Amino acid sequence: MQLSSRRLRAALLAAASLTLVAAVLPPPEALGIGDRLFPDLGNPGYDVLSYDLSFTYKDNKSPLDAVTVIDARATAPLERVNLDFTHGKVASAEVNGEPARFESVGEDLVLTPRRAVADGGPLRITVRHTSDPRGRGDGGWVPTEDGLAMANQADAAHRVFPCNDHPADKALFTFRISAPAGLTAVANGYQVAPALRIGPSTTWTYRTRHPMATELAQVSVGRSAVVHGTGPHGLPLRDVVPAADRQRLDPWLKKTAGHIEWMEERVGRYPFENYGVLIARATTGFELETQTLSLFESSLFSGDGYPEWYVESVMVHELAHQWFGDSVTPRTWSDLWLNEGHATWYEALYADGLGKYSLERRMREAYQRSDQWRAAGGPPAAPKAAAPGEKIGLFRPVVYDGAALILYALRQEIGAPAFDRIERRWVAQYRDGIAGTADFVRLASQEAGRDLGAFLEPWLYGTKTPPMPGHPEWSTPAPAGKSAVKAAGKSAGKAAPGKAAPGKAAPGKAAPGKAAPGKAAPGKAAPGRAAAGKALPGGKRV
């Protein structure tokens, strides 16, 4: 009885202490790091080192019980700590092992610790919360026929777990997922130990060996088959597919090792611990380069209208992102062109090598549409923000084929050998880091042996497309009227979640940028392709 009273007094004192601390501070407010396109994303004052995420899955219509543990380092004195988090209920929060007061302000979870965190000091945050898969209009959890997957790009990771939701703050991740018997859970990285069965539930643990942006996190639960293989130089391959589709999808899975070998010949060693595809029975309208485990809609592989060369090109697009976007992550969201332009470039180069859609033809067609894309979506390196309620509208043709056009112009200007050196050095120098447009211009200038700033600036930031080196005969149409520009912007913002299909319709196929009968180009507009009846060029998202 006496012990119980002591505990009660301690709890009351702790609550009173937190209330007193909060009372002397100004009201909590939502913060951001000032990204031009997503000003409320990210939070100042700390650098996340690692996330440890635990999820307990019941079914894909019920909130998951979750615990998020964040280890960080303070970069300023902190009386409050802001996290990006919404769409879940918080049960408790701790900062450095002590209870912390928590309040929701906008899409921020604001913690008030009992003691201020010193500049440079350790910061461990523990939040017990739910993670709600319902209402996925803004991304986050994606319901599948038999479970869930994640699609967090561009700004939806904080709909799943509390985090510093900006790609500039990469961190290591550990995932612990518990699910009922009969289901399989997978996540980014490698499996730490055999799945642990306790009663009616099984728990899987995965960990990344390389830092990752929050928007690239992936967790999938379902009736899945996990297929293991070996890629170039012994690289572990791990594919996750619906168990019922395992045999049908096997020919596609066997293509990945060759795709990796093709990419490595051009840019160097694959940058992560393993790779594979996650094929989900879900309708997303896009594919997504989640780190080490790219997400694909199963319909892409159904043989219904998509030619084989197109599907392979989309697979290469997502694979290329592992170097461009995942390993080398954009410093700001305005640097998105570096991700999508490069992924589109290698996708187009692969299709060119198959003899199905020549690179020069695709770039010429992109050049003809470039001014319209710039009018609708802004220049590649300074894209317009997405319209309210259409966050993925950022993924327009101008950051796909419009950005690949910049790379083509650069190669035309400096020659293929110097261009190839730039590509290899870019992914080597900034591996596991972040980099932006200014970094690319500087590195390109060094490899070319001359200042390329004046050449690249109008390609990156101009409202009009500059003349193409080596192709004086290429031209853009006369300026479109307001109605045409408006229509271009509308289709660009809606094509495949995350991206509009850049380029022109491949022979005999729906024009890119327009949703194929009832569908938008797979995830990201897979440039240069229009699948029979489906938006080809550019078909993919994020």
Side-chain angles (χ1 to χ4, degrees), residues 355-538:
K356 298 296 184 180
Y357 198 122
S358 82
L359 177 68
E360 183 170 326
R361 173 191 164 187
R362 182 165 174 175
M363 293 298 99
R364 184 181 70 249
E365 291 170 345
Y367 191 85
Q368 291 168 349
R369 303 179 68 183
S370 179
D371 278 358
Q372 290 184 8
W373 290 341
R374 287 172 183 248
K384 295 178 182 178
E390 296 181 13
K391 294 180 181 180
I392 57 175
L394 175 63
F395 298 94
R396 304 178 179 97
V398 73
V399 299
Y400 285 84
D401 278 41
L405 200 59
I406 297 172
L407 301 177
Y408 183 79
L410 177 61
R411 193 176 73 164
Q412 290 288 107
E413 176 72 9
I414 66 174
F419 179 82
D420 291 343
R421 291 197 306 271
I422 290 168
E423 296 294 275
R424 286 179 170 272
R425 181 177 164 190
W426 177 254
V427 297
Q429 181 167 321
Y430 292 103
R431 182 177 180 178
D432 286 339
I434 60 171
T437 301
D439 300 307
F440 186 81
V441 173
R442 182 168 51 252
L443 184 148
S445 297
Q446 291 169 355
E447 285 299 326
R450 62 185 175 93
D451 186 357
L452 291 170
F455 171 75
L456 285 171
E457 184 170 352
W459 282 98
L460 293 165
Y461 300 106
T463 57
K464 297 294 182 182
T465 311
M468 177 60 72
H471 289 288
E473 76 280 9
W474 285 13
S475 63
T476 57
K482 285 187 178 179
S483 59
V485 171
K486 187 175 180 182
K490 200 171 179 185
S491 68
K494 289 189 175 178
K499 310 159 181 191
K504 274 198 176 177
K509 304 177 179 175
K514 293 194 177 179
K519 275 199 177 183
K524 298 182 176 183
R529 329 157 198 149
K534 306 191 176 176
L536 276 188

Side-chain angles (χ1 to χ4, degrees), residues 9-264:
R9 284 199 298 273
L12 291 172
L13 284 170
S17 173
L18 286 172
T19 302
L20 183 61
V21 170
V24 299
L25 294 175
E29 60 179 344
L31 300 176
I33 61 171
D35 188 284
R36 186 180 70 86
L37 296 172
F38 296 97
D40 297 329
L41 278 189
N43 294 285
Y46 61 93
D47 172 31
V48 177
L49 305 176
S50 68
Y51 292 92
D52 192 314
L53 307 178
S54 299
F55 297 105
T56 300
Y57 172 90
K58 307 175 191 69
D59 59 66
N60 63 8
K61 295 181 176 61
S62 301
L64 292 77
D65 292 327
V67 180
T68 295
V69 179
I70 300 172
D71 280 305
R73 179 180 59 84
T75 58
L78 293 172
E79 293 183 315
R80 284 201 170 105
V81 180
N82 280 51
L83 298 169
D84 299 305
F85 185 56
T86 186
H87 212 60
K89 294 181 180 179
V90 177
S92 67
E94 294 178 0
V95 173
N96 289 337
E98 297 183 322
R101 185 184 181 95
F102 58 89
E103 300 163 85
S104 292
V105 182
E107 294 195 355
D108 274 17
L109 174 65
V110 184
L111 309 182
T112 305
R114 187 180 301 175
R115 297 177 179 83
V117 180
D119 184 5
L123 175 60
R124 168 165 276 210
I125 301 165
T126 302
V127 182
R128 290 172 173 81
H129 60 97
T130 62
S131 185
D132 198 337
R134 298 170 297 184
R136 67 182 181 90
D138 288 333
W141 289 114
V142 175
T144 65
E145 283 187 12
D146 56 357
L148 291 173
M150 275 188 200
N152 294 332
Q153 201 172 58
D155 64 336
H158 67 283
R159 291 176 60 87
V160 177
F161 58 95
C163 56
N164 202 28
D165 198 8
H166 191 278
D169 193 1
K170 298 168 70 167
L172 297 171
F173 277 74
T174 298
F175 301 89
R176 309 172 199 276
I177 311 112
S178 297
L183 300 179
T184 298
V186 294
N188 312 84
Y190 66 99
Q191 190 168 350
V192 173
L196 179 62
R197 177 75 179 270
I198 301 177
S201 181
T202 304
T203 299
W204 290 261
T205 303
Y206 300 89
R207 185 167 295 141
T208 66
R209 287 199 175 106
H210 297 263
M212 179 169 71
T214 51
E215 44 112 358
L216 300 173
Q218 181 59 266
V219 170
S220 172
V221 181
R223 299 189 182 280
S224 306
V226 180
V227 184
H228 295 280
T230 303
H233 51 81
L235 177 73
L237 301 181
R238 175 192 57 159
D239 299 307
V240 182
V241 301
D245 299 336
R246 164 71 175 83
Q247 189 171 2
R248 177 179 66 81
L249 292 170
D250 192 57
W252 291 110
L253 305 184
K254 289 179 177 177
K255 293 179 181 292
T256 296
H259 294 162
I260 294 172
E261 186 175 6
W262 185 88
M263 278 296 302
E264 287 190 337

